[in-house]
């Protein structure tokens, strides 16, 4: 056992780490430059007297400048991958997918770049698993609340509405108007409860697919908000993976909600169309634009997009208008024509 441990320790000492690679790279560069400087001084006609003459000073200064410049250029070129690594570290943002560095052109730093890329892969994988678990729990809670609203509160309001109808038939003329007003109030509450249940968990999405669910969403948005929605859903798209359909629906729902709350727009366009082996969802409005920070809704959309390996882009210029674009990779067997 001691011998095996010693062999492993010796092998680990022989592994070329980024620190040792950097150390030997600098030593090699300096050694090459100083060797070339020594050879140039040895074989060039320039000489230095025992007592330095003024005419020899420019030669020494020029030689020193050449050596220092060559050393600086070599070191700068050699350490350039570290600048790219630092810049990539600063650009890492948890809700967004980080760009991987190319380790093929990083010289001795390829191991460091590979380690950094592997770390990003692990972080994104763990974040996707954690986000997927949280969103699955959220969707389960939505489904439970929607079922309770529909089955319990909805049925209770329906019973109350039927009883009020019988009361209206038997009520005297003086009370009939008030009872009818109460009946309309209960009917409005019943419609609101059904609308909330549908927004929490749309049954039409599971039963009829994304196309019908988007149409129902736009119709309900226009009815409640009074904002016209021009929708263009390509009929070539049939049923997609349930997770993809759910993410697309939630992104469209959150985009329309943001339009109602923040955009001050009077026209919205919703587009769903296939592009090669992807599906693009795009929601645009003619509102005031100028979105500079990601709120809770936008962060939720980005987290959902990462679950299905999709790309979410939001553009909101100061001149006005906001566009939310979701690019989802899919295959022909998932409902998109090849």
């Amino acid at each position: 056992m001691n011998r095996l441990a010693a062999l492993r320790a010796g092998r680990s000492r022989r592994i070329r780490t980024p620190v040792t690679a950097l150390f030997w790279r600098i030593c090699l560069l300096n050694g090459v430059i100083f060797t070339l400087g020594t050879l140039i001084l040895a074989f060039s006609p320039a000489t230095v007297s025992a007592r330095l003459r003024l005419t020899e000073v420019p030669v020494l200064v020029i030689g020193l400048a050449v050596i220092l410049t060559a050393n600086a250029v070599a070191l700068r070129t050699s350490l350039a991958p570290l600048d790219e690594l630092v810049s990539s570290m600063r650009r890492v943002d948890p809700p967004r997918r980080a760009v991987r560095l190319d380790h093929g052109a990083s010289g001795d730093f390829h191991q460091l770049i590979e380690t950094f890329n592997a770390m990003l892969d692990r972080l994104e994988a763990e974040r996707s698993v954690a986000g997927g678990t949280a969103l699955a729990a959220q969707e389960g809670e939505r489904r439970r609340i929607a079922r309770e609203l529909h089955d319990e509160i909805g049925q209770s309001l329906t019973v109350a509405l039927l009883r009020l109808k019988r009361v209206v038939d038997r009520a005297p003329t003086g009370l009939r108007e008030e009872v009818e007003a109460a009946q309309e109030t209960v009917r409005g509450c019943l419609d609101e409860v059904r609308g909330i249940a549908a927004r929490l968990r749309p049954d039409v999405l599971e039963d009829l697919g994304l196309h019908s669910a988007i149409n129902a969403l736009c119709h309900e948005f226009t009815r409640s908000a009074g904002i016209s929605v021009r929708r263009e859903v390509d009929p070539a798209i049939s049923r997609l993976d349930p997770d993809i359909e759910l993410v697309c629906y939630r992104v469209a729902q959150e985009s329309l909600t943001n339009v109602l709350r923040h955009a001050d727009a009077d026209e919205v366009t919703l587009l769903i169309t296939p592009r090669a082996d992807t599906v693009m969802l795009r929601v645009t409005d003619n509102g005031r634009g100028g979105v500079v920070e990601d709120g809770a809704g936008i962060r939720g959309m980005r987290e959902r997009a990462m679950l299905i390996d999709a790309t979410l882009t939001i553009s909101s210029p100061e001149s006005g208008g906001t566009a939310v674009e979701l690019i989802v990779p899919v295959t022909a067997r998932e409902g998109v024509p090849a």
Side-chain angles (χ1 to χ4, degrees), residues 93-285:
D93 188 8
R96 295 177 172 86
R97 192 172 301 279
V99 178
R100 303 300 187 267
L101 294 177
D102 182 14
H103 58 79
S106 57
D108 288 338
F109 295 108
H110 68 277
Q111 184 179 357
L112 181 62
I113 302 298
E114 286 182 350
T115 303
F116 176 71
N117 290 339
M119 181 192 69
L120 291 180
D121 293 337
R122 290 196 305 272
L123 289 177
E124 291 184 357
E126 293 174 1
R127 186 168 63 244
S128 296
V129 172
T133 302
L135 291 177
Q138 184 184 86
E139 290 296 332
E141 189 67 13
R142 285 172 179 261
R143 188 183 299 109
R144 184 187 66 80
I145 296 175
R147 187 182 302 113
E148 291 182 358
L149 286 174
H150 184 274
D151 295 344
E152 298 181 11
I153 300 179
Q155 290 180 3
S156 299
L157 289 175
T158 301
V159 171
L161 193 62
L162 294 175
R163 289 182 177 177
L164 283 174
K165 185 178 184 305
R166 289 198 297 268
V167 172
V168 169
D169 297 336
R170 299 176 182 179
T173 306
L175 294 176
R176 182 168 298 177
E177 184 176 351
E178 294 184 8
V179 177
E180 288 178 348
Q183 186 182 19
E184 291 301 320
T185 300
V186 173
R187 182 178 289 110
C189 292
L190 179 60
D191 293 339
E192 187 65 24
V193 167
R194 288 174 176 172
I196 293 174
R199 289 192 294 271
L200 285 174
R201 187 65 182 182
D203 293 332
V204 66
L205 180 64
E206 298 180 354
D207 298 337
L208 302 178
L210 183 62
H211 190 286
S212 299
I214 289 295
N215 288 334
L217 176 65
C218 294
H219 176 75
E220 175 64 22
F221 178 79
T222 300
R223 185 189 66 82
S224 60
I227 302 175
S228 63
V229 179
R230 185 169 64 89
R231 54 186 179 274
E232 301 177 10
V233 182
D234 197 315
I237 301 176
S238 57
R239 295 305 300 265
L240 301 172
D241 183 90
D243 292 336
I244 293 178
E245 290 190 341
L246 181 59
V247 170
C248 291
Y249 181 84
R250 292 302 186 198
V251 169
Q253 186 181 43
E254 184 63 35
S255 299
L256 294 178
T257 301
N258 289 337
V259 170
L260 178 61
R261 291 178 179 175
H262 311 293
D264 193 20
D266 56 14
E267 184 177 347
V268 181
T269 300
L270 192 151
L271 172 68
I272 301 180
T273 182
R275 287 187 175 181
D277 54 352
T278 64
V279 168
M280 183 188 71
L281 166 67
R282 183 177 177 86
V283 182
T284 58
D285 64 73

